[in-house]
Amino acid sequence: MSLTAAIIVELAFKKILETSAGELSKKFTVSAIAKMDELRQMIQDKFTGNSRAETAINAIADGSTSEIPRLEVYLEDLMRDDPEFANQLQLLAQEINAGKLQDNSKIEQNNYDNSTGSINKLENVEGGTNYIGNITINQNKPDD
């Protein structure tokens, strides 16, 4: 799986931009959080000497989100020019993603009349399909 520069920047700076360390630790393992620092350091080291990228990195490190799109563009260009470095970033980012904690908390809805409703827990949905409403899905079984 190939991760985009946008996802890599988000993971690298998530620890800095997350509102509280407690919230981050509810979403990622301790190991994954430590790898965020490593990912951010790899990006910083690679952009040493590039004043525009360094300015963006420093602004993000100070909590500014307005420079994120700029850094994403710089990183996308760098990843295209240096496929080996891109591969290293993507592998580390995948390790961080593998350290995401699943939210297995229960959601319950009780309808005491003949009404229908739905409950959606979307904050942790990544990819896949979310069905809302009364849906019937009919699929043919694949031929063996």
Side-chain angles (χ1 to χ4, degrees):
M1 175 168 95
S2 180
L3 298 176
T4 65
I7 292 171
I8 291 170
V9 168
E10 177 187 341
L11 289 171
F13 290 90
K14 191 173 232 16
K15 186 174 174 183
I16 292 172
L17 298 174
E18 191 71 32
T19 55
S20 76
E23 288 300 312
L24 190 61
S25 66
K26 291 178 186 176
K27 298 175 184 176
F28 291 90
T29 64
V30 172
S31 173
I33 293 170
K35 289 177 191 272
M36 290 176 187
D37 291 333
E38 186 179 340
L39 184 62
R40 187 176 60 256
Q41 192 62 52
M42 284 177 67
I43 293 169
Q44 280 183 260
D45 291 348
K46 195 68 172 180
F47 281 120
T48 298
N50 180 329
S51 62
R52 289 181 174 178
E54 286 179 333
T55 299
I57 289 168
N58 291 334
I60 297 167
D62 289 338
S64 171
T65 57
S66 64
E67 290 295 312
I68 290 174
R70 184 181 314 262
L71 183 58
E72 289 170 358
V73 170
Y74 295 148
L75 188 59
E76 186 71 39
D77 288 343
L78 179 63
M79 290 171 67
R80 191 178 7 236
D81 294 342
D82 189 344
E84 185 178 322
F85 180 69
N87 187 50
Q88 292 171 352
L89 289 178
Q90 289 173 346
L91 288 174
L92 188 54
Q94 287 172 3
E95 289 177 26
I96 294 168
N97 268 335
K100 282 186 178 179
L101 298 173
Q102 289 186 345
D103 182 0
N104 294 323
S105 60
K106 182 179 178 183
I107 295 179
E108 187 174 313
Q109 175 177 326
N110 296 309
N111 293 332
Y112 296 104
D113 54 14
N114 290 328
S115 65
T116 60
S118 66
I119 298 176
N120 297 297
K121 194 174 200 176
L122 297 176
E123 69 271 4
N124 294 320
V125 173
E126 291 185 25
T129 304
N130 183 31
Y131 297 101
I132 300 174
N134 297 325
I135 298 172
T136 302
I137 299 173
N138 297 307
Q139 295 178 326
N140 294 331
K141 291 185 180 180
D143 295 330
D144 291 319

